[in-house]
Amino acid sequence: MTEQHEQHSHRFERGTDGPKVILVGVDGSDSSMRAAAYASGLARRQHALLAVVYVQPVLAAGAALGAPVAETTDEIAEDLVAQIREAAERVRGIFEVRWEFHTFRGDPYNGLVQAADELKADAVVVGASEQAGHRIIGSVAVRLVKAGRWPVTVVP
């Protein structure tokens, strides 16, 4: 190893430590909105991009029965964007957070994994499951932690 290479390998890079992209999963539940608020604070303090992700469920059975599933999930996504924009406007000038809204399709776990991979997330924030059955079969949050691919914060 050359002397010049040794000097560069031990040099601290100012401004490049910490996460660049913090991903938060939202679905409109109270816990997911608390997770979004928490992730927003993290992104602000770290000067990171906040990637807000809604995973639209793919309900083949509902679609087969003629239910307007896509329209309903589109409305949920639009409502979430409106809520997030409203919250961002309330704190404009006090807190500045760079954020983007993304919609992925699929089940929540696989959708968040796909989003984290595609958006190159450094950290993932999700709300704790509010469904009793998840204590038995495992929640999305637990599955994300077990995947061990990113630091995962679960907000109650």
Side-chain angles (χ1 to χ4, degrees):
M1 189 181 317
T2 67
E3 186 176 317
Q4 184 180 15
H5 185 269
E6 285 179 16
Q7 288 175 341
H8 290 293
S9 65
H10 298 291
R11 183 185 289 168
F12 176 77
E13 295 182 45
R14 181 179 300 277
T16 60
D17 57 333
K20 289 183 178 28
V21 178
I22 297 173
L23 182 143
V24 61
V26 295
D27 62 5
S29 66
D30 288 343
S31 67
S32 79
M33 298 314 273
R34 285 190 297 272
Y38 181 84
S40 178
L42 288 177
R44 180 186 56 82
R45 288 187 295 280
Q46 296 289 333
H47 305 289
L49 173 67
L50 177 64
V52 181
V53 175
Y54 169 62
V55 180
Q56 283 186 317
V58 178
L59 303 172
L65 296 172
V69 175
E71 289 176 20
T72 302
T73 57
D74 285 344
E75 288 173 14
I76 292 169
E78 290 169 15
D79 183 52
L80 289 170
V81 170
Q83 288 180 47
I84 293 162
R85 280 202 177 107
E86 181 181 309
E89 282 300 316
R90 281 195 307 263
V91 297
R92 184 177 302 282
I94 301 168
F95 300 116
E96 295 298 326
V97 177
R98 293 181 305 122
W99 64 277
E100 300 174 348
F101 186 86
H102 299 272
T103 301
F104 286 78
R105 293 180 60 90
D107 69 273
Y109 170 76
N110 287 312
L112 289 174
V113 167
Q114 178 186 359
D117 286 344
E118 287 184 21
L119 300 171
K120 296 180 177 31
D122 296 300
V124 176
V125 180
V126 292
S129 174
E130 296 177 348
Q131 297 180 5
H134 286 171
R135 291 188 185 114
I136 299 165
I137 60 171
S139 67
V140 171
V142 169
R143 292 174 66 195
L144 288 168
V145 170
K146 286 181 178 181
R149 295 168 60 182
W150 324 266
V152 177
T153 302
V154 182
V155 176

